[in-house]
């Protein structure tokens, strides 16, 4: 038996637009200035606490924890409403076949 595992997010699926929207909604929900999509894209791939610290330009752990929790809440809600929104990267389907 051969087991093959893939990292879907950012490897097979292009989720950048959705992630940048979640980042903006997260900051907005806490009354903070929204990061630009460009700034949000630069932190994709970092751990969520590190990404939030960079975007908020802070080392305030209470604020960072609040941002992380708010982001996760936005993400969980979107799983139900945005299902299937992300498209495959070009060539991903062919690579899997």
């Amino acid at each position: 038996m051969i087991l093959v595992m893939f990292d879907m997010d950012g490897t097979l699926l292009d989720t950048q637009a959705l992630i940048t929207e979640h980042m903006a909604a997260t900051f907005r929900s806490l009354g903070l200035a929204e990061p630009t999509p460009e700034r949000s894209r630069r932190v994709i791939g970092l751990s969520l606490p590190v990404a939030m610290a960079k975007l908020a330009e802070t080392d305030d752990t209470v604020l960072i924890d609040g941002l992380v929790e708010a982001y996760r809440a936005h993400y969980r809600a979107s799983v139900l409403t945005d299902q299937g929104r992300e498209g495959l990267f070009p060539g991903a389907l062919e690579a899997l076949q």
Side-chain angles (χ1 to χ4, degrees):
M1 177 165 104
I2 297 175
L3 173 66
V4 179
M5 296 175 60
F6 292 96
D7 175 13
M8 299 286 289
D9 183 27
T11 303
L12 297 176
L13 297 174
D14 185 0
T15 56
Q16 287 187 16
L18 194 56
I19 291 170
T20 60
E21 289 172 23
H22 288 281
M23 290 295 189
T26 296
F27 278 69
R28 191 172 52 247
S29 73
L30 295 178
L32 302 171
E34 298 175 20
T36 64
E38 294 78 21
R39 287 190 67 226
S40 292
R41 280 193 295 274
R42 280 190 228 127
V43 300
I44 293 174
L46 299 176
S47 70
L48 209 42
V50 171
M52 293 305 183
K54 286 186 175 287
L55 289 175
E57 298 177 346
T58 188
D59 58 359
D60 178 342
T61 57
V62 173
L63 176 58
I64 293 166
D65 290 346
L67 287 164
V68 167
E69 287 308 310
Y71 180 88
R72 288 181 176 150
H74 287 290
Y75 181 83
R76 280 190 295 270
S78 79
V79 168
L80 300 175
T81 60
D82 294 332
Q83 189 174 21
R85 184 176 149 197
E86 304 93 358
L88 289 172
F89 278 113
L93 181 60
E94 293 79 10
L96 293 171
Q97 294 176 333

